Amino acid sequence: MVKSSFVLALTVLSLFSSQLYSAKCETDTIKRNIFHSEKQDKQEVNKINKDYIIRVKKRASDIKLDGLINEDDWRKGEIINLSHMVLPYDTGQATARSEVMMTYDEKAFYLAFIFHDTVPGKRPVESLRRDFVFTNNDNFSIYIDPFNDQTTGYSFGISASGAQRDGSISNGNVNNLMWDCKWQSVIKNFGDRWTGEVRIPFKSIRYKTGVDHWGIQISRNDMKLNEKSAWAPVPRQFATATLSYAGQLLWETPPRRSGLRLTFIPYLNSSISQNIENGENPKYKYNFGLDSKIGLSTSLNLDLTYNPDFSQAEVDDQVTNLDRFELYFPEKRQFFLENSDLFGSFGTDNIRPFFSRRVGLDAPVLAGARLSGKIGRDWRLGLMDMQTEKEGNLLVRNFFVASFQKKVFARSNVGGVFVNKEQINAPLDWQDGNKYNRIVGLEYNLASRDNFLNSKFFAQKSFTSGKMTSEEYTQGINFAYSRKSHLLEMEELYVGRDYNAEAGYVPRKDYLKVNPKATFNFFPKNGLLEYHGFSTEVVNFYSPWNMELIERQISANYFLQFKNRAHLVIINELNYLVLQKDYDPTNNGKYYLPAESSYKWYKFALSFTSDNSKLFKYLIHSGYGGYYNGERWIVEGNLNYRVQPYGYISLVYSYNNLILPAPWNHSGLWLVGTKLDMTFTDKLFFSTYIQYNQQINNININARFQWRYKPVSDLFIVYTDNYFPEYMVEKNRALVLKISYWFN
């Protein structure tokens, strides 16, 4: 696997050469009006909402993106109405009138909309920041399925303040908002309506050429009405991004190939940092790097990176860690995000053979390549090769991932993954177990056409140099059956004692888990409630060797959803635990409960989320009950006040009062974080995050300024500081300046 980078590079050169030839021939082909003569894609359209069709014609004149909807092409085209209510009910007509129009040309897809108000007053918006939260803003969203596979696609949205939102869709409805691309939009606000125009270049997305229909869904969120509406009807238990419920966009002639898509994103970086705690002098660093995107076809993309820098990534939210296992923090680095499900969705939440945050965790990334996308109608392919630099005692390491998905039936697929982490130029006397670690996995994802049934079956085997046992594997089964009135779930997982995924996320091993869960909803016709119901769950962990119960959690919760979107949950839990290792319940590492000791306790909690259409909103969670050999009282939540459309200030708090016997005695752990997020315009952003974590004895200050001076081209200034809380003695600090530009 040491040579995997060179093999991938040769493959890339071959594909790139063929693409140049293909681009040269394309002009002559288009002149012959190829799309009227070539064989059309005969793939079956989505049957659920097959009668929801919009026929889109090519524009006859120029369209000026000004949000005014005054061009002839808008008046001459079909107009669709977002007449179906999704929330608070999915059986009625939307109260607000919403009209959407579409057209296109050789280079881009255009949309226009007119959203009428039924309730006077300001339209609620959170800020001007990109990738806003759908439920916190009056907004318009479109979801497209260019491959008609009801599994992968893209989302684009605009808030009533003009903020943009874009994401890539995987697994039928999972919307990853960390993905970005170039597109344009303009909105106009009037007293009784707001309007907008959108232009999405075909080169910004992946699609299959020669296809005369795409899946499409359009949605509006009206917070003054607390109403979400859609063009094609969607059962309320599903997100409107659920592609199996999309309607059909029928092109007058299919979008042509967008030509050679070649993007370069160079960056320059300078920084100064100082580790005061270790008595070090300030260190100055200047750096440069390059990201590149090459569209090998309209559905297959190659990403290359050299000396990448991720200093502008948003800081993680700190938490008080009272868990016995490693915590999970999501990936935020742009390079890893497109088609990320091809690499990171194998297995299940706590059994991932590959977790991209392992790459570059303890050593800088030198270079990498990623090939991902669609091949033909039913195949998806992912190849990734990343190499880190030598750092201290850590050798150069190579991370290689190969995966595939083959569509079967309407929405199901079979997939496989291979992960290799390898030490480069390891000495001959290097200790066994450290030279390489490999994972091979297979899985079957079963999804019914109507999305009511979703199941996964997977198995993975690890290989570590110098080690071979019968317990180096894991397997699992997930099952979920969802209807409006109930959700039935079942999970069975096994992780062997010696299963080893060094490039993955597997916080716990050596167990068999059996986890049934049921949720029931009731929908009253009158009153303040939109719905209410209860859920019950049993989580059992067994020792695989003797099937002895080592952990059990039984929960019975009641929830109430109010028509104004406020939400109340009443939580009851019974816990039983046999420790498999010595454990400190405060996670301070001083005193430990012994392995093989057992504990039982009960916990009661309340959680309330307020109406998020108000300028001031809040979340409060409080609970009390047993905790190992003592008791625990917890109060946590979030207070948020927005100054629309310029941003918000929020306070996140958590207090854990641990009442334990000697030698721990009484222990109170505070975590407080305050965040100021300001968006002066849709191109100028500033955020400051101050976090105090008593458990790790640290105060962190992170300030981040961003100027998007061109589309997807940014200037960042990031300042980070860490202090000892007692006397505000400084630990370390850093100042980073980074500028990048998107050439395409």
Side-chain angles (χ1 to χ4, degrees):
M1 293 311 302
V2 176
K3 298 181 180 180
S4 57
S5 298
F6 301 102
V7 173
L8 184 56
L10 290 173
T11 304
V12 167
L13 288 175
S14 174
L15 290 169
F16 184 63
S17 299
S18 65
Q19 176 68 18
L20 288 174
Y21 177 78
S22 174
K24 178 180 181 299
C25 297
E26 181 181 18
T27 304
D28 295 333
T29 306
I30 294 173
K31 288 179 180 179
R32 294 194 300 269
N33 203 9
I34 185 175
F35 291 123
H36 287 291
S37 60
E38 73 177 353
K39 183 180 179 180
Q40 296 291 327
D41 188 340
K42 299 299 182 182
Q43 182 168 340
E44 186 179 274
V45 300
N46 179 16
K47 289 184 176 180
I48 295 178
N49 283 326
K50 59 182 175 60
D51 295 329
Y52 287 81
I53 300 172
I54 180 169
R55 295 166 180 84
V56 182
K57 296 181 178 181
K58 280 190 175 181
R59 67 177 177 88
S61 58
D62 290 340
I63 291 179
K64 181 181 179 182
L65 288 185
D66 54 14
L68 294 178
I69 327 296
N70 52 11
E71 287 85 1
D72 288 340
D73 285 292
W74 299 132
R75 290 193 290 269
K76 293 178 181 178
E78 290 188 22
I79 299 176
I80 61 175
N81 297 294
L82 311 187
S83 57
H84 290 279
M85 187 188 297
V86 179
L87 290 175
Y89 306 104
D90 61 0
T91 56
Q93 295 293 302
T95 305
R97 186 159 60 97
S98 308
E99 303 162 308
V100 179
M101 298 136 277
M102 304 179 197
T103 186
Y104 71 111
D105 58 23
E106 298 295 325
K107 295 183 177 180
F109 174 40
Y110 297 82
L111 294 96
F113 60 85
I114 304 173
F115 290 163
H116 301 270
D117 287 338
T118 57
V119 177
K122 276 189 174 183
R123 301 175 185 99
V125 292
E126 196 168 37
S127 71
L128 300 169
R129 183 173 291 280
R130 192 183 185 95
D131 294 336
F132 55 84
V133 179
F134 183 96
T135 55
N136 291 349
N137 296 264
D138 267 24
N139 72 82
F140 156 85
S141 291
I142 177 172
Y143 309 98
I144 56 177
D145 178 7
F147 297 102
N148 296 297
D149 61 9
Q150 303 165 52
T151 303
T152 58
Y154 302 94
S155 70
F156 298 89
I158 316 167
S159 75
S161 68
Q164 291 185 339
R165 181 180 191 260
D166 49 13
S168 61
I169 299 175
S170 61
N171 298 325
N173 61 8
V174 179
N175 196 7
N176 186 346
L177 295 179
M178 299 301 292
W179 176 83
D180 284 337
C181 75
K182 274 189 175 182
W183 58 290
Q184 298 83 41
S185 63
V186 178
I187 66 107
K188 291 289 183 182
N189 278 281
F190 302 94
D192 61 344
R193 70 194 185 282
W194 62 288
T195 64
E197 291 176 306
V198 178
R199 180 181 184 271
I200 303 172
F202 288 122
K203 66 165 48 178
S204 292
I205 59 176
R206 313 287 169 255
Y207 58 92
K208 183 173 175 58
T209 56
V211 178
D212 64 358
H213 60 277
W214 289 8
I216 189 169
Q217 177 66 286
I218 303 166
S219 178
R220 175 189 179 183
N221 190 42
D222 189 327
M223 294 185 66
K224 287 185 292 183
L225 282 174
N226 277 315
E227 177 181 272
K228 182 166 72 170
S229 56
W231 171 46
V234 185
R236 59 166 296 125
Q237 69 265 33
F238 301 133
T240 47
T242 304
L243 297 178
S244 58
Y245 286 88
Q248 295 297 316
L249 182 159
L250 185 63
W251 301 106
E252 183 179 15
T253 57
R256 69 178 182 89
R257 292 176 62 91
S258 58
L260 178 63
R261 293 179 293 181
L262 184 59
T263 299
F264 293 100
I265 314 171
Y267 81 85
L268 295 174
N269 173 293
S270 64
S271 65
I272 177 173
S273 61
Q274 184 179 16
N275 191 326
I276 301 169
E277 185 179 5
N278 293 342
E280 298 178 0
N281 293 322
K283 295 180 180 179
Y284 298 89
K285 186 177 180 181
Y286 305 92
N287 217 338
F288 73 94
L290 175 70
D291 290 339
S292 179
K293 292 178 176 290
I294 304 171
L296 301 178
S297 71
T298 55
S299 56
L300 191 64
N301 197 67
L302 173 68
D303 291 271
L304 303 172
T305 187
Y306 169 72
N307 196 25
D309 173 79
F310 307 114
S311 58
Q312 83 279 6
E314 291 188 0
V315 64
D316 289 319
D317 294 336
Q318 294 186 23
V319 297
T320 299
N321 183 11
L322 294 177
D323 197 274
R324 308 195 312 278
F325 308 103
E326 177 189 16
L327 299 178
Y328 176 87
F329 293 96
E331 179 62 82
K332 298 181 179 181
R333 298 172 293 179
Q334 182 69 27
F335 179 81
F336 295 97
L337 297 178
E338 186 170 2
N339 289 315
S340 59
D341 64 298
L342 275 170
F343 305 97
S345 67
F346 285 87
T348 190
D349 286 347
N350 287 326
I351 307 174
R352 298 294 187 197
F354 178 72
F355 179 41
S356 58
R357 285 194 63 144
R358 299 289 186 208
V359 182
L361 178 67
D362 49 14
V365 176
L366 174 62
R370 191 165 62 95
L371 180 69
S372 62
K374 196 98 170 181
I375 299 178
R377 192 173 67 181
D378 297 332
W379 290 87
R380 296 180 71 209
L381 174 70
L383 294 173
M384 181 188 297
D385 194 272
M386 306 291 293
Q387 192 145 309
T388 59
E389 300 183 59
K390 188 177 186 300
E391 182 79 7
N393 295 326
L394 297 173
L395 297 178
V396 174
R397 283 166 293 171
N398 183 267
F399 296 81
F400 178 78
V401 187
S403 68
F404 76 88
Q405 282 185 357
K406 169 66 169 67
K407 183 181 177 183
V408 295
F409 307 121
R411 295 185 55 245
S412 304
N413 64 72
V414 177
V417 65
F418 172 72
V419 182
N420 182 75
K421 175 189 174 185
E422 188 159 349
Q423 308 284 347
I424 307 300
N425 298 323
L428 294 177
D429 60 349
W430 193 266
Q431 182 180 357
D432 278 343
N434 292 326
K435 293 180 181 179
Y436 66 80
N437 172 247
R438 295 165 185 161
I439 303 289
V440 175
L442 290 172
E443 66 181 42
Y444 174 49
N445 294 281
L446 173 63
S448 63
R449 187 185 295 275
D450 55 15
N451 204 47
F452 291 161
L453 175 64
N454 285 274
S455 296
K456 171 179 279 195
F457 309 86
F458 71 87
Q460 300 164 16
K461 175 74 168 66
S462 66
F463 302 87
T464 304
S465 59
K467 296 183 179 179
M468 183 176 295
T469 75
S470 61
E471 298 300 321
E472 294 179 293
Y473 74 95
T474 179
Q475 60 81 215
I477 300 172
N478 290 310
F479 168 88
Y481 180 72
S482 176
R483 299 304 298 266
K484 182 167 64 174
S485 62
H486 58 271
L487 171 63
L488 305 177
E489 300 172 270
M490 181 67 184
E491 181 178 62
E492 179 272 328
L493 301 174
Y494 169 77
V495 181
R497 178 179 56 189
D498 300 316
Y499 176 74
N500 185 22
E502 294 180 11
Y505 178 76
V506 186
R508 181 173 185 172
K509 297 188 289 187
D510 195 23
Y511 68 84
L512 173 67
K513 177 183 177 183
V514 180
N515 178 198
K517 183 178 180 180
T519 303
F520 299 91
N521 301 308
F522 308 99
F523 300 91
K525 294 182 179 180
N526 301 303
L528 298 175
L529 291 177
E530 177 186 335
Y531 66 89
H532 61 101
F534 66 92
S535 64
T536 182
E537 180 178 14
V538 181
V539 184
N540 294 308
F541 287 89
Y542 298 94
S543 172
W545 304 100
N546 54 16
M547 292 304 295
E548 178 183 345
L549 180 68
I550 56 176
E551 186 172 350
R552 171 176 286 164
Q553 181 183 91
I554 302 174
S555 61
N557 306 328
Y558 206 93
F559 50 85
L560 302 96
Q561 176 79 15
F562 297 88
K563 288 181 178 178
N564 66 358
R565 303 285 182 90
H567 193 73
L568 173 67
V569 184
I570 304 169
I571 302 166
N572 294 274
E573 286 183 4
L574 283 171
N575 290 273
Y576 169 75
L577 173 67
V578 180
L579 286 174
Q580 303 302 293
K581 296 180 180 179
D582 293 349
Y583 176 64
D584 175 12
T586 66
N587 263 343
N588 288 323
K590 294 182 179 179
Y591 309 106
Y592 293 86
L593 298 171
E596 303 301 327
S597 57
S598 62
Y599 306 92
K600 294 181 181 180
W601 68 85
Y602 165 76
K603 183 180 81 172
F604 173 81
L606 291 173
S607 181
F608 180 76
T609 304
S610 71
D611 175 5
N612 65 356
S613 67
K614 306 299 183 184
L615 294 179
F616 175 70
K617 60 182 181 180
Y618 56 91
L619 163 66
I620 298 176
H621 174 92
S622 183
Y624 181 82
Y627 181 71
Y628 295 95
N629 60 341
E631 296 176 329
R632 176 189 181 189
W633 174 55
I634 180 174
V635 56
E636 61 186 3
N638 187 333
L639 309 177
N640 183 292
Y641 183 80
R642 71 173 187 269
V643 183
Q644 65 177 49
Y646 301 108
Y648 63 87
I649 183 169
S650 66
L651 175 69
V652 178
Y653 61 93
S654 172
Y655 177 68
N656 281 270
N657 186 7
L658 306 181
I659 307 168
L660 301 170
W664 296 276
N665 299 320
H666 184 96
S667 180
L669 298 174
W670 276 101
L671 175 68
V672 180
T674 180
K675 184 175 184 178
L676 174 67
D677 191 289
M678 297 301 298
T679 56
F680 304 105
T681 71
D682 60 353
K683 296 178 176 62
L684 285 175
F685 313 107
F686 176 76
S687 62
T688 301
Y689 205 176
I690 302 174
Q691 299 182 88
Y692 165 60
N693 190 331
Q694 185 177 5
Q695 188 178 42
I696 61 174
N697 195 34
N698 188 68
I699 292 178
N700 171 256
I701 301 174
N702 180 270
R704 183 173 177 263
F705 171 81
Q706 178 185 359
W707 174 30
R708 178 148 285 188
Y709 60 93
K710 292 285 185 181
V712 206
S713 303
D714 300 285
L715 169 70
F716 290 96
I717 301 175
V718 183
Y719 177 73
T720 303
D721 224 337
N722 288 284
Y723 294 87
F724 289 104
E726 290 83 359
Y727 304 103
M728 289 300 292
V729 176
E730 198 166 18
K731 296 180 180 180
N732 53 70
R733 60 191 173 196
L735 178 66
V736 176
L737 173 66
K738 178 180 178 180
I739 186 168
S740 63
Y741 190 85
W742 186 301
F743 292 96
N744 66 333

